[in-house]
Amino acid sequence: MASGISIETHYVQVQRLQLPVSERHGVPPTSAGVGTMIFDTQQELLWIGTDTGRVISYYGSDLQRYTSLQAHPVQDGPVKQFLIHEKGVISVSSRSVHLLSRRGLTLWHISCTKASLYNQYEDLGIFDTLFDKRQVRSQYEYMLMRHCRYICAATNTGAIVFLDIDSLAVVREWQAYSSKVSDMDARTDYLVTCGWSARPYGGAAFESFAKVFDLKKLEQRQPIPFHGGAAFVAVNPKLGSTIVLMSTHGQVQVVDVAHPNTSALHSPFLGSHMSHLVLAPSGKAWALADNGGVIQIWALDRVNLRYTEHAAPLEFADEDFAPPSISFDSDVPLSTVGMPYYREKLLSAWSEDPVYEVGSLPPRVDPEILKHLSPSSVGCRAYNPKKTFRNQLDRLSIVGANGMALTAPKFLSEKTHEADSEMDKGRRISDAEAFTNSGSTGSIKAAVPAMYRLMEIKYSRYGVDDFDFGYYNKTQYSGLETHITNSYLNPLLQLFKYIPLFRNLALHHTASSCLAESCLLCELGFLFDMLEKAEGQKCHATNFLKAFSSLGEEASKLQLTEETSPQSTLEVRIQAANRFLLKQIGMDYQRIAPGDGKLDQNLNPRVRSSTPAFSRVLKDSFERESNQRMWCDRCRRYQLVQSWETMSNVPPVLMINTGLNKQTDGRQLWSIPGWLPERIGICIDQGRLICLEGEALRASQRSRQSRLLIVYDLVGLVADVSSGENQKSHMVSLINGMMALSSPQPQDKPQWHIFNDFLVRKIDKDEALRFATTWKTPTILAYQHQGGSNVIDDSWRDTLDTTCLFINWSLNPYNVLQHNWPCTLDPATEQPGSGTHVPIDTEFVRLQQEEVEILATGDRQVIRPTREGLARVSVLRASGPHEGLPFIDDYISISEPVVDYVTKYSGVSAGDLDPTVSVRPLVPLKVAYKKLWLLLNLGCIFVGHGLIKDFRNIDIFVPKAQIVDTVTLFYNPARSKRNLSLRFLAWYLLKENIQSETHDSIEDALTALKLWRKYEEFRDAGVVEKMIDEIYTAGRKLNYKVPEKGADKWVGGGLVVPGKGRDTPDVDSGVSGPNTPVGKKTGGSEYFESPLK
């Protein structure tokens, strides 16, 4: 028994439809009858030809009417036959042939005296060849034709004639019935027929057998019994040996030709006199028709019913929206009247580029001169007050609308040396806007607000740390710096960060045991954690962008980096980066959790196409159509096949690329106010994807099918901003503050923020969702399931994998000398936790030299500051039996070329960072960074000297509560703006001469620990300010430099002692530099024996 027979016995009725009433002039209305019908092989359509010449198409299992057209005159009679073609549908009546498109438009119409259609002839351009040049005379009148291996033609005498396809010569004749052939169908190797046979008492009746002819062997096979009288037959298109027989009374039998006696199954269909039977190309549905114009659809499955397996999507008419009613009176603003669609730039949108500055403003005349003017023979004259030199004029600046000069914010070093003026005290974010106006180069479009314009960092001689980032950000959300290569990804990273589901997965993965060097998901977790801890302070994504650039071959092929794609537009690059990052981090997640599809279920990037309604756009993007060439068994050649994708379920997060770089007309849609909805709904009902918005969404939420509906909220988007025609475009991210991670409680109102690199500002919802085709267009959209809003999962803090803190691991374990390995922590007695003090020091090498431009005035302007890379990090114990010993002393393997090892200040030489020759324990940057990140999230307190700059270079943010910096402990701005060096403090307070030849991170960390203990000793005695004053007094006398070895030393209190070289006391010896008054003890033994108290 064939496998298809047992399945086909479960057919159920899906739909029943009565054809519309036929109305003809002068004739009473009657029900239309069915002349012929056929399933479309290209789309989900059923075509019906009525007995009045009308052609109607229905789509879907519900038989919704798609098109209706009077294709043939009523006097031509019923539609006899259909032919499906990729260009349209051909219908034929007794005296005309008609071709119409699937949308119901007439392509051509031919009228003739007599017409018949060869139902497998597909070349629409050679009808003359078919009817005129290839006529073959025959002694029979052919009634039916089918095509397979041969042209099978049924005559009016009950015979079947087999014709050769090429020559039309008769190959074989077969007298099947004694009267006429009622129906026949041919597939692959079989021809099955039904017909009438003459009766002895006169007349004819349907044969109780269906005749089967083997086309391969050209011989008759065993007939198939059908006691109801077979009137109609159809062969299953997918199962060539399975046939369906039907009688005129509605009795249907499904049988396998190979097993006619054992596999026949009967199903009764009660109804009137049946007239037609057709099978869908998928083989999973039938269409039946009776003489009363009733159409029935029977199928195997109600839910997943499809007429054809590779159907092209249907094109529906645009919805007709009635224009809103606007009353014209004095209270209605003209801006409420919508603008028509236009393709050319309006005059009001022209930029101010034709206007140029031609020079400085005219000099102002001194009021004293105007006061003493007196007329003379030529003009006027006055006494020269001589307030300026000869040929000297006051510097004039353009003044804004508020009367404030458009000046750049001062550097931090300038603010510490100058008193703030009244103007400076009153400056706020508007000054930043003024700075962007004055600091931008090229022509600026007048319609672009200042907060959207390109942000640039200005450098002083102190580098990027001297730039006032806080001037541009007064919020609790941190921005990202722009002076790093590939920083165009900053808006996309900000968008990822404010998707709670994505943020939770990234941090949980980071807290796992993953140590892969190029894991982007770990780097995202590090970045998200840093942005949350920074709480509005500046950050930069150096480590993530370095890992992104290290992917090399993959990123280069897609031209994602600035080095490999200098010519590609930023819009194209960031959308490609979005797809690449989602795929890459999915692979990173599977590395630690193989088989876990949680991340893939949460993210689903799609590219959309253009259509007037956003919900319709989204639906089409999920059900994308593709064209490919496939082999066709019927045509015996390759044909262009259209296929489309659909969705079986929807993820909690939708990342959508707008794809506007490929569309020019679609940009006009985004300029329509309110076109982008803040909330959408997606429902999959019985295999159909439904996208809703607006009132339709609210109505669906109130219906009984709301349990199938998934509602999404707009989290944020990335927009492409073009500031001017002579400027390159840049990206900004617009984030809905209702999803902000720092506010886990739902907010009452949307709180949108713009993230323009390091400029962060709160904006209203209308401004965020307003787009302009001339300068602001969306690039990436992010929607999240409504139930995932404000779902903050910080359980990763309780599941931190701290294994790497208790083991020694290296890239070159066989080269490392024994004494270079650090003393690892004891898991039983040395568990770091909240409040554990850990001395730390780091060393850096130079990866890129400073880029400087010499201006025409001779001044130096820093274009790009020096870029440094972490080379060594040392972390020590602050207490216990192994106090002062390092448990982390890692050298960092750097893949980039090092331009300067600065050995005098770093203690790192050329061979120390080469895994092939180094005798130091080398680890990737990811491993060293994760150790510090674990200590940070365990609550450890870092003790060191100048840690703010070190942590910035490492690209990690440590809250002030977890930092003990000896620079700030021994700093008194009232005495001097100068920070004291570690070497000078060690010489003066500890009588130690460190860093005499080179730097050592272990020695520096240990010295910082001793200085912190000395400070605690001064604080307990209440002499901190006095001792700091003495240090600055001594520093001024020695110019803050340690005397050379052998020279007299200046010691606190004005004492001069002969130099004895380096005299370093033990950590717990109690020996100190200056004499300190004895302070009371706070418990225990010596105070600094237990720094963790």
Side-chain angles (χ1 to χ4, degrees):
M1 181 182 297
S3 59
I5 296 303
S6 61
I7 298 177
E8 294 182 355
T9 58
H10 298 87
Y11 280 88
V12 294
Q13 185 177 8
V14 176
Q15 186 59 267
R16 180 185 178 93
L17 175 70
Q18 173 69 55
L19 287 181
V21 175
S22 175
E23 297 183 359
R24 286 179 286 178
H25 181 69
V27 179
T30 57
S31 298
V34 179
T36 184
M37 61 180 181
I38 191 173
F39 283 100
D40 200 318
T41 59
Q42 306 287 330
Q43 292 180 324
E44 294 289 312
L45 294 175
L46 173 64
W47 293 90
I48 307 293
T50 68
D51 55 2
T52 59
R54 178 170 289 273
V55 175
I56 309 173
S57 63
Y58 298 90
Y59 72 90
S61 59
D62 297 336
L63 293 182
Q64 299 294 324
R65 189 160 70 170
Y66 186 62
T67 58
S68 179
L69 176 71
Q70 187 68 39
H72 304 274
V74 177
Q75 56 270 21
D76 287 356
V79 179
K80 295 287 188 179
Q81 198 170 351
F82 281 122
L83 171 63
I84 304 298
H85 190 268
E86 60 182 8
K87 296 181 180 179
V89 178
I90 304 174
S91 62
V92 61
S93 66
S94 59
R95 290 190 294 272
S96 61
V97 180
H98 191 90
L99 172 64
L100 72 157
S101 68
R102 287 176 172 81
R103 297 192 303 167
L105 301 178
T106 298
L107 301 181
W108 49 256
H109 182 89
I110 300 175
S111 299
C112 54
T113 57
K114 188 175 183 180
S116 62
L117 196 61
Y118 172 40
N119 76 326
Q120 293 294 337
Y121 208 84
E122 294 187 354
D123 193 342
L124 303 183
I126 53 174
F127 271 97
D128 55 342
T129 303
L130 176 64
F131 295 120
D132 298 332
K133 298 182 180 179
R134 300 188 61 188
Q135 289 185 358
V136 177
R137 296 187 179 276
S138 174
Q139 58 180 340
Y140 304 108
E141 181 180 352
Y142 295 131
M143 307 298 296
L144 293 174
M145 281 190 179
R146 297 292 183 267
H147 168 266
C148 191
R149 290 175 176 266
Y150 304 96
I151 298 176
C152 307
T155 68
N156 57 354
T157 61
I160 306 295
V161 180
F162 301 95
L163 305 175
D164 185 81
I165 295 178
D166 298 326
S167 63
L168 300 182
V170 177
V171 178
R172 174 76 184 273
E173 292 187 16
W174 172 40
Q175 187 66 40
Y177 300 95
S178 59
S179 182
K180 294 182 180 180
V181 177
S182 171
D183 194 9
M184 66 179 182
D185 197 5
R187 299 279 180 178
T188 61
D189 296 334
Y190 297 104
L191 171 69
V192 185
T193 63
C194 300
W196 288 275
S197 295
R199 295 303 185 201
Y201 51 82
F206 286 107
E207 276 275 2
S208 59
F209 290 92
K211 304 294 182 66
V212 182
F213 194 85
D214 192 332
L215 298 177
K216 189 174 183 180
K217 299 180 180 180
L218 290 179
E219 62 182 16
Q220 184 178 357
R221 292 179 59 93
Q222 179 181 353
I224 300 173
F226 186 58
H227 301 289
F232 307 97
V233 62
V235 181
N236 193 306
K238 295 299 180 182
L239 303 174
S241 63
T242 302
I243 63 174
V244 180
L245 300 173
M246 184 178 72
S247 67
T248 56
H249 302 291
Q251 187 178 17
V252 176
Q253 177 180 348
V254 182
V255 62
D256 190 347
V257 175
H259 306 82
N261 298 324
T262 59
S263 61
L265 299 175
H266 301 270
S267 299
F269 294 84
L270 301 178
S272 59
H273 190 81
M274 308 305 293
S275 60
H276 293 84
L277 166 68
V278 292
L279 263 66
S282 63
K284 298 179 180 179
W286 309 333
L288 311 177
D290 59 19
N291 289 343
V294 177
I295 308 298
Q296 301 181 39
I297 299 295
W298 292 75
L300 292 171
D301 187 1
R302 293 176 180 268
V303 178
N304 300 317
L305 172 60
R306 292 198 177 278
Y307 296 155
T308 179
E309 294 182 349
H310 301 284
L314 294 173
E315 184 177 359
F316 294 92
D318 298 337
E319 297 184 18
D320 187 14
F321 295 99
S325 176
I326 301 177
S327 60
F328 289 93
D329 52 44
S330 58
D331 297 332
V332 178
L334 292 179
S335 59
T336 59
V337 181
M339 292 291 293
Y341 289 105
Y342 57 92
R343 296 181 180 273
E344 299 179 354
K345 183 184 296 186
L346 299 178
L347 293 177
S348 59
W350 281 17
S351 64
E352 297 181 355
D353 295 342
V355 180
Y356 302 95
E357 289 190 19
V358 295
S360 301
L361 297 177
R364 291 173 293 188
V365 181
D366 195 297
E368 291 293 329
I369 298 177
L370 296 176
K371 184 178 180 182
H372 298 89
L373 278 178
S374 60
S376 64
S377 58
V378 180
C380 299
R381 64 180 180 177
Y383 174 75
N384 186 4
K386 297 183 179 180
K387 293 182 179 181
T388 58
F389 295 102
R390 185 181 180 183
N391 298 327
Q392 181 183 1
L393 297 175
D394 293 335
R395 175 174 296 187
L396 303 177
S397 58
I398 302 175
V399 179
N402 57 358
M404 184 184 301
L406 306 184
T407 56
K410 292 182 178 181
F411 290 111
L412 297 177
S413 58
E414 295 176 338
K415 292 185 177 182
T416 57
H417 291 86
E418 298 178 4
D420 294 335
S421 63
E422 292 298 323
M423 182 180 298
D424 294 330
K425 292 179 181 179
R427 293 195 317 195
R428 292 294 183 267
I429 192 67
S430 59
D431 298 334
E433 298 178 3
F435 170 58
T436 57
N437 286 334
S438 60
S440 302
T441 58
S443 59
I444 301 295
K445 294 183 179 179
V448 182
M451 61 184 173
Y452 285 96
R453 296 177 185 171
L454 184 63
M455 294 289 104
E456 295 181 357
I457 300 177
K458 301 297 181 182
Y459 305 100
S460 70
R461 61 191 182 98
Y462 298 106
V464 68
D465 293 331
D466 201 22
F467 188 76
D468 188 5
F469 290 98
Y471 188 79
Y472 297 90
N473 187 4
K474 306 297 182 182
T475 69
Q476 59 180 332
Y477 307 110
S478 297
L480 294 173
E481 299 177 16
T482 60
H483 65 283
I484 311 165
T485 305
N486 295 321
S487 59
Y488 78 93
L489 289 172
N490 285 350
L492 184 58
L493 298 179
Q494 291 280 18
L495 184 60
F496 283 167
K497 190 258 181 183
Y498 288 102
I499 301 176
L501 294 176
F502 193 29
R503 172 259 184 197
N504 296 338
L505 283 173
L507 285 172
H508 275 281
H509 177 81
T510 306
S512 67
S513 59
C514 178
L515 294 178
E517 185 175 1
S518 59
C519 178
L520 294 183
L521 190 55
C522 278
E523 297 296 343
L524 280 177
F526 293 144
L527 178 61
F528 295 166
D529 187 52
M530 177 174 62
L531 289 172
E532 290 183 12
K533 288 183 169 64
E535 296 183 348
Q537 301 186 45
K538 59 182 174 62
C539 297
H540 55 95
T542 302
N543 289 344
F544 175 85
L545 297 178
K546 186 181 297 182
F548 176 77
S549 301
S550 66
L551 296 176
E553 183 177 353
E554 295 88 345
S556 298
K557 288 180 179 179
L558 298 175
Q559 296 184 346
L560 302 181
T561 60
E562 294 177 354
E563 299 86 353
T564 58
S565 59
Q567 303 299 328
S568 64
T569 62
L570 199 57
E571 187 177 11
V572 175
R573 194 189 310 162
I574 198 169
Q575 292 190 50
N578 180 35
R579 291 188 293 268
F580 173 76
L581 288 177
L582 294 178
K583 177 182 177 181
Q584 187 66 32
I585 62 181
M587 296 169 58
D588 294 339
Y589 185 82
Q590 291 292 334
R591 187 185 297 116
I592 297 299
D596 187 356
K598 191 174 182 180
L599 185 63
D600 292 335
Q601 295 171 4
N602 285 344
L603 299 175
N604 191 15
R606 293 287 180 179
V607 181
R608 71 164 189 84
S609 59
S610 176
T611 189
F614 181 85
S615 57
R616 183 67 187 179
V617 167
L618 192 62
K619 181 179 185 298
D620 291 343
S621 70
F622 290 128
E623 298 179 337
R624 291 181 298 177
E625 178 184 338
S626 61
N627 297 325
Q628 55 184 343
R629 299 190 68 85
M630 298 180 63
W631 178 259
C632 178
D633 291 332
R634 179 167 55 87
C635 303
R636 310 304 297 175
R637 59 174 176 166
Y638 284 96
Q639 294 279 18
L640 188 64
V641 177
Q642 292 180 331
S643 62
W644 53 277
E645 300 175 357
T646 187
M647 296 181 62
S648 58
N649 54 21
V650 288
V653 177
L654 296 177
M655 298 294 296
I656 306 171
N657 287 354
T658 60
L660 289 181
N661 57 295
K662 303 176 182 178
Q663 307 170 23
T664 57
D665 297 338
R667 294 179 180 269
Q668 299 294 336
L669 297 175
W670 294 95
S671 61
I672 303 175
W675 191 80
L676 175 64
E678 291 185 82
R679 182 168 294 173
I680 61 174
I682 297 180
C683 175
I684 299 180
D685 185 13
Q686 298 182 359
R688 294 182 302 168
L689 179 65
I690 303 174
C691 297
L692 303 172
E693 62 177 290
E695 186 60 35
L697 174 60
R698 290 186 287 271
S700 180
Q701 289 179 300
R702 296 190 296 265
S703 66
R704 289 182 295 178
Q705 294 186 351
S706 60
R707 58 184 180 84
L708 303 176
L709 185 67
I710 300 179
V711 181
Y712 290 88
D713 288 327
L714 181 64
V715 179
L717 56 97
V718 177
D720 182 20
V721 176
S722 178
S723 300
E725 296 180 358
N726 299 329
Q727 286 190 331
K728 62 179 182 180
S729 63
H730 64 285
M731 296 290 171
V732 301
S733 54
L734 303 165
I735 309 295
N736 187 354
M738 293 181 64
M739 310 296 174
L741 300 182
S742 57
S743 301
Q745 299 299 327
Q747 303 294 320
D748 296 334
K749 296 180 180 179
Q751 297 181 2
W752 285 85
H753 287 74
I754 178 176
F755 290 80
N756 187 0
D757 292 324
F758 51 83
L759 186 147
V760 182
R761 185 179 180 184
K762 185 177 180 180
I763 58 176
D764 56 30
K765 181 188 69 174
D766 295 336
E767 172 62 33
L769 301 182
R770 184 186 301 118
F771 304 102
T773 58
T774 56
W775 64 273
K776 177 187 175 185
T777 53
T779 302
I780 300 173
L781 308 176
Y783 281 92
Q784 179 178 263
H785 182 265
Q786 198 173 36
S789 302
N790 307 108
V791 179
I792 309 304
D793 183 9
D794 286 333
S795 60
W796 58 271
R797 301 181 188 274
D798 303 326
T799 59
L800 291 172
D801 191 313
T802 59
T803 307
C804 59
L805 294 177
F806 301 96
I807 60 174
N808 281 331
W809 181 83
S810 174
L811 294 172
N812 56 336
Y814 301 105
N815 297 344
V816 180
L817 300 179
Q818 185 63 34
H819 65 273
N820 287 336
W821 287 107
C823 180
T824 58
L825 294 173
D826 185 358
T829 60
E830 296 181 308
Q831 283 283 353
S834 179
T836 302
H837 290 73
V838 286
I840 182 175
D841 190 69
T842 56
E843 306 294 349
F844 299 88
V845 294
R846 195 162 296 170
L847 302 179
Q848 182 178 347
Q849 296 288 7
E850 182 181 68
E851 296 181 17
V852 180
E853 180 181 7
I854 306 300
L855 303 179
T857 58
D859 298 332
R860 298 171 72 254
Q861 180 179 358
V862 179
I863 303 301
R864 191 180 293 271
T866 301
R867 186 164 61 91
E868 296 180 338
L870 181 64
R872 184 185 181 186
V873 56
S874 300
V875 185
L876 282 59
R877 298 168 173 85
S879 62
H882 300 293
E883 181 178 346
L885 292 180
F887 63 91
I888 297 177
D889 186 25
D890 293 334
Y891 285 74
I892 313 303
S893 174
I894 300 178
S895 57
E896 299 179 70
V898 178
V899 298
D900 190 357
Y901 285 91
V902 288
T903 305
K904 181 179 179 181
Y905 302 101
S906 67
V908 179
S909 58
D912 290 339
L913 306 182
D914 187 354
T916 59
V917 299
S918 177
V919 295
R920 310 287 186 178
L922 278 173
V923 299
L925 175 63
K926 162 74 175 298
V927 176
Y929 187 96
K930 187 164 187 177
K931 292 179 181 180
L932 299 181
W933 184 78
L934 289 172
L935 294 175
L936 169 64
N937 285 280
L938 288 173
C940 295
I941 300 176
F942 297 91
V943 181
H945 188 84
L947 292 181
I948 302 299
K949 183 178 180 181
D950 289 350
F951 288 147
R952 170 182 169 78
N953 290 335
I954 297 173
D955 195 14
I956 189 172
F957 184 87
V958 181
K960 292 183 178 180
Q962 292 181 248
I963 296 178
V964 176
D965 197 337
T966 54
V967 169
T968 59
L969 294 181
F970 297 98
Y971 176 67
N972 186 359
R975 293 296 304 270
S976 175
K977 302 295 184 181
R978 185 185 185 111
N979 292 326
L980 299 174
S981 66
L982 181 66
R983 186 184 183 198
F984 184 80
L985 290 173
W987 171 80
Y988 185 78
L989 294 177
L990 305 177
K991 296 172 57 178
E992 296 185 8
N993 188 14
I994 65 172
Q995 302 176 352
S996 56
E997 296 181 358
T998 185
H999 287 226
D1000 183 86
S1001 57
I1002 295 179
E1003 180 185 52
D1004 293 349
L1006 184 59
T1007 303
L1009 174 64
K1010 296 177 182 179
L1011 289 174
W1012 170 56
R1013 290 182 172 176
K1014 182 64 66 176
Y1015 176 85
E1016 295 288 332
E1017 183 181 344
F1018 295 157
R1019 189 185 62 179
D1020 286 351
V1023 295
V1024 173
E1025 294 184 2
K1026 177 183 177 181
M1027 297 309 300
I1028 294 178
D1029 289 342
E1030 291 184 3
I1031 298 173
Y1032 275 100
T1033 302
R1036 282 194 298 272
K1037 292 182 179 180
L1038 296 175
N1039 198 20
Y1040 298 97
K1041 294 182 179 180
V1042 176
E1044 296 294 335
K1045 186 175 182 179
D1048 292 339
K1049 298 180 182 179
W1050 176 267
V1051 188
L1055 301 177
V1056 179
V1057 297
K1060 297 181 181 179
R1062 177 168 178 171
D1063 187 9
T1064 306
D1066 295 333
V1067 175
D1068 55 353
S1069 64
V1071 179
S1072 61
N1075 295 327
T1076 306
V1078 179
K1080 63 179 181 179
K1081 294 186 177 182
T1082 58
S1085 57
E1086 295 295 332
Y1087 172 77
F1088 51 81
E1089 268 190 3
S1090 180
L1092 302 185
K1093 76 188 180 85

